[in-house]
Amino acid sequence: MKLSISKHELNEAIQQVAKAASSRPTIPILGGIKIEVTHQGVTLTASDTDISIQSFIPVERDNLVIAHVDKPGNVVLPAKFFVEIVKKLPSENVEIEVGAHFQTLIRSGSTDIQMVGLDPEEFPVLPSIEHNELFQMPGDLLKAMIRQTVLAASVNEQTPILTGVLWSLQDKQLKFVATDRHRLASRIAQAETAADYRFNNVVIAAKTLVELSKLVPDQHGLVDIVVADNQVLFKIGNVLFYTRVLDGTYPDTSKIIPSMFKTELVLDTKNLTDAIDRAYLMSREEKTNIVRLTTLEDGAIEISSSSTELGRVTEQLEAKQFDGEALKIAFNSKYMLDVLKVIDSEQIFIGFTGAMSPIVIRPTDHNYNTYVILPYRTTN
Amino acid sequence: MKLSISKHELNEAIQQVAKAASSRPTIPILGGIKIEVTHQGVTLTASDTDISIQSFIPVERDNLVIAHVDKPGNVVLPAKFFVEIVKKLPSENVEIEVGAHFQTLIRSGSTDIQMVGLDPEEFPVLPSIEHNELFQMPGDLLKAMIRQTVLAASVNEQTPILTGVLWSLQDKQLKFVATDRHRLASRIAQAETAADYRFNNVVIAAKTLVELSKLVPDQHGLVDIVVADNQVLFKIGNVLFYTRVLDGTYPDTSKIIPSMFKTELVLDTKNLTDAIDRAYLMSREEKTNIVRLTTLEDGAIEISSSSTELGRVTEQLEAKQFDGEALKIAFNSKYMLDVLKVIDSEQIFIGFTGAMSPIVIRPTDHNYNTYVILPYRTTN
């Protein structure tokens, strides 16, 4: 293998795939980036077996030469050092040449780097996925759906299935759900698919979705998504992102969300966020993050929290709308903040069915998002 | 105590003093900020007994009312919560009222905060320092001297005196020295003082100087400095910064710095920095950070480092000037990078007196800075 390539393009592709290289590989090859060179271009791949990312650099783009290939070939280079050194090479032109035993020479300006390369034959083989049944989503919508659901996924690895986000598709409606048993986030959207295309129980790790999100441009351009038996493939321009789906059956959450309420509030999202944020500062001292919401006589509400050592924060807020019974309820202020931060609407609806029942939070201007928070049972 | 005050001004003063409040106080009062209110203004003080910072907010500045004092008084409030809550108060106007048992009420917009205040009588008394013998330094020069010396101070608390920077003044020349026994940094400057004013063995903790540095504006305005027996006081506008000096006698470093050299190099600072930075990436893998410098036949030098697992980086650099014997020497690349990053000159001089002798680094355009790095003894 021998080629010269643009440092800028090489660096960009390396940054895209490097996240999939294992930072503490059980075997060295999993901490590597595979470089495949053909006369068409250069393919970089990293894989920790859970996720795999592949990026393709063509030899030419828009009549501009990006790479010049003297001799095709393959090699695997240790990711951590390779990622950092390419960024810092002195010249915009980088030459890479692989010799016997995968010894690799990287040359740029007056810098010479000899790297111990690994055998590409030992690199994990990417899952083969049939591209028949794919659907498409605008990148910005995919990012929004991820951002608005991952917050409720569990971080406790003892219940692996709950560390994921449940994807389902039916009647051209795509739905994401995440819950850690204390709170739930759900988001729906219309998808561009065949009317009879459907799937269920596709659960993808929340942290994988966060990584995927970083690779998706914040634009309306379409992302291809292929859901296979135990893998999902995302195609974002020249980048392929493969992820394993989590094993197990996701619990049925359909009955958790109340549809009738005894108390209904509409509040200004920013005012409520700021008030809860201040109460959170106090509640944090008690570790429990308990904040109380109390309805007042005149259609206002009071948010309060207290700490025996520090004192007490009391906030008054005007409700835009207030229907139903008076209420006093306690909940985790951090959970509420997590929800308020991802709701993009100016006003929110909060529905209660009593001090011990799930709290439902929704934007007022559409019904794509639904959030549920379980209240605290407090003696006071 | 009762007053109303501008949130912006209060917040700014809190941010200035908060660094001196102990984050893990042995007694609660040391984790507090003392608020003293008189008809002249508001004084905030925090102290962990090693350093104390005081900031004064006048009731009026440039004919603008900053605070309105109804009733003078004192209280101590827990710093951590106070720092964060003031930043997030909803209105630009903040009312503070202290009742019985130092119960403190903070009111802003529709936010009410009750805080458990502490008795100001228990707060540490600031050192009393005679202001007779003060000297002055431009703020930007003080910051530069700190930045160019703290890097060589020891981080090992087992030799407390070496965690400090040695200050001395003689013949109107101020000198800072720091060393951790493996490297040394020294910086001199002319000071505005009486010709016969002198001091020696004033050692201030490097981490204290870094904190001080953050409070000094990056401008030419003068900072007043008062050196007392075991305290130094810095006056920066409305802010007073007190620090304890470290106990013990600083070792004599005057004989460490060679003045005659067998090999002398002048190099472009940026080119050398970049080359060593790349070699550092490789050397880091071996934990030792060993980089080798070898003079070549044609007035060039070679920088190299290697790792058994990863490979080898080789860099060639043209010397701007090269006098004396051929040389092969090994040193800690991290130490060299630390020095190169704080030298503001375009070219640097490096002097060697053999592979086992201290390496001296200086800017070429002035002799205010001197750096010394001890080489590694390697078998190769």
Side-chain angles (χ1 to χ4, degrees), chain A residues 143-267:
Chain A
K143 282 172 86 109
M145 291 185 73
I146 292 172
R147 186 174 75 96
Q148 292 176 342
T149 49
V150 287
L151 59 121
S154 176
V155 289
N156 184 346
E157 295 289 343
Q158 294 200 316
T159 49
I161 193 82
L162 294 186
T163 64
V165 175
L166 170 68
W167 289 33
S168 57
L169 177 76
Q170 189 168 7
D171 301 332
K172 300 178 89 169
Q173 184 175 273
L174 181 68
K175 186 173 182 181
F176 287 14
V177 175
T179 181
D180 63 3
R181 296 194 200 276
H182 303 289
R183 48 183 168 166
L184 177 144
S186 109
R187 162 82 208 228
I188 52 172
Q190 296 308 309
E192 309 281 322
T193 63
D196 60 344
Y197 181 45
R198 61 169 63 191
F199 56 77
N200 195 4
N201 203 53
V202 172
V203 185
I204 304 175
K207 61 174 198 279
T208 299
L209 291 173
V210 171
E211 289 306 329
L212 169 69
S213 204
K214 292 177 191 162
L215 289 174
V216 178
D218 213 355
Q219 288 158 4
H220 211 59
L222 291 174
V223 175
D224 290 352
I225 304 172
V226 185
V227 175
D229 275 354
N230 57 355
Q231 291 279 341
V232 181
L233 164 61
F234 300 87
K235 204 176 159 200
I236 313 141
N238 274 339
V239 177
L240 300 181
F241 186 106
Y242 295 81
T243 173
R244 203 168 63 78
V245 301
L246 297 183
D247 292 331
T249 304
Y250 203 83
D252 178 15
T253 59
S254 60
K255 291 178 190 77
I256 291 175
I257 308 171
S259 50
M260 303 280 284
F261 304 105
K262 291 186 183 164
T263 310
E264 298 187 343
L265 287 174
V266 173
L267 293 161

Side-chain angles (χ1 to χ4, degrees), chain A residues 34-55:
Chain A
K34 185 179 174 189
I35 306 172
E36 292 171 273
V37 177
T38 67
H39 286 293
Q40 281 67 52
V42 180
T43 306
L44 301 182
T45 313
S47 175
D48 65 3
T49 69
D50 279 344
I51 67 170
S52 308
I53 309 178
Q54 191 166 78
S55 181

Side-chain angles (χ1 to χ4, degrees), chain A residues 78 80-81 84-85 88-90 110-117 274 277-282 284-285 307-317, chain B residues 78 80-81 84-85 88-90 110-117 274 277-282 284-285 307-317:
Chain A
K80 190 174 153 234
F81 177 73
E84 296 201 60
I85 197 74
K88 293 186 168 175
L89 289 176
S110 54
T111 301
D112 264 29
I113 298 153
Q114 282 168 311
M115 281 185 80
V116 179
D274 291 349
D277 198 16
R278 288 185 288 264
Y280 162 70
L281 285 182
M282 181 66 84
R284 191 175 57 178
E285 295 298 313
S307 142
T308 38
E309 279 191 19
L310 273 181
R312 183 181 167 86
V313 171
T314 316
E315 302 272 345
Q316 290 214 4
L317 279 174
Chain B
K80 190 176 153 231
F81 177 72
E84 296 201 59
I85 198 76
K88 294 186 169 177
L89 288 176
S110 52
T111 301
D112 264 30
I113 298 153
Q114 282 169 313
M115 281 185 80
V116 179
D274 291 349
D277 199 16
R278 287 185 288 263
Y280 162 70
L281 284 183
M282 180 67 84
R284 193 175 54 175
E285 295 297 314
S307 143
T308 38
E309 279 190 21
L310 274 180
R312 184 181 166 86
V313 172
T314 315
E315 302 273 346
Q316 289 215 7
L317 279 174

Side-chain angles (χ1 to χ4, degrees), chain B residues 2-237:
Chain B
K2 191 177 176 191
L3 81 156
S4 69
I5 186 167
S6 142
K7 179 180 82 170
H8 173 77
E9 296 276 346
L10 178 62
N11 184 43
E12 199 149 278
I14 290 175
Q15 303 298 330
Q16 287 166 337
V17 305
K19 281 284 175 173
S22 182
S23 54
R24 287 178 188 174
T26 46
I27 46 170
I29 198 90
L30 296 181
I33 291 177
K34 185 180 176 188
I35 306 172
E36 292 172 273
V37 177
T38 68
H39 286 292
Q40 281 67 54
V42 180
T43 306
L44 300 183
T45 312
S47 175
D48 65 3
T49 70
D50 280 344
I51 66 169
S52 308
I53 309 178
Q54 192 166 77
S55 181
F56 177 71
I57 310 166
V59 290
E60 237 185 82
R61 185 188 300 133
D62 304 331
N63 287 324
L64 268 172
V65 175
I66 296 169
H68 179 84
V69 175
D70 280 324
K71 196 176 152 198
N74 305 327
V75 72
V76 174
L77 297 179
K80 190 176 153 231
F81 177 72
F82 188 53
V83 164
E84 296 201 59
I85 198 76
V86 169
K87 227 184 303 183
K88 294 186 169 177
L89 288 176
S91 154
E92 174 49 29
N93 186 49
V94 180
E95 288 168 50
I96 305 178
E97 190 174 352
V98 179
H101 309 296
F102 307 105
Q103 273 290 337
T104 304
L105 182 65
I106 301 172
R107 218 183 264 124
S108 178
S110 52
T111 301
D112 264 30
I113 298 153
Q114 282 169 313
M115 281 185 80
V116 179
L118 301 169
D119 184 353
E121 292 295 321
E122 290 174 16
F123 200 77
V125 177
L126 292 196
S128 77
I129 289 184
E130 296 279 337
H131 283 50
N132 305 350
E133 288 198 305
L134 68 79
F135 70 104
Q136 297 188 309
M137 272 177 76
D140 49 2
L141 175 61
L142 177 60
K143 282 172 85 108
M145 292 185 73
I146 292 171
R147 186 173 76 96
Q148 291 175 344
T149 50
V150 288
L151 59 121
S154 175
V155 289
N156 185 345
E157 294 289 343
Q158 295 200 317
T159 51
I161 194 81
L162 294 186
T163 64
V165 176
L166 170 68
W167 290 34
S168 57
L169 178 76
Q170 191 168 6
D171 301 330
K172 299 179 89 170
Q173 183 176 274
L174 181 67
K175 186 174 183 181
F176 287 13
V177 175
T179 180
D180 63 3
R181 296 193 199 277
H182 303 288
R183 51 183 167 166
L184 176 144
S186 108
R187 162 82 208 228
I188 52 171
Q190 296 309 308
E192 309 281 321
T193 65
D196 61 344
Y197 180 46
R198 60 168 65 190
F199 56 77
N200 195 3
N201 202 54
V202 172
V203 186
I204 305 175
K207 63 173 195 277
T208 298
L209 291 173
V210 171
E211 289 305 329
L212 169 68
S213 205
K214 292 176 192 164
L215 288 175
V216 178
D218 213 356
Q219 289 158 2
H220 211 59
L222 291 173
V223 174
D224 290 352
I225 303 172
V226 187
V227 175
D229 277 353
N230 57 355
Q231 290 280 341
V232 181
L233 164 61
F234 300 86
K235 205 177 159 197
I236 313 141

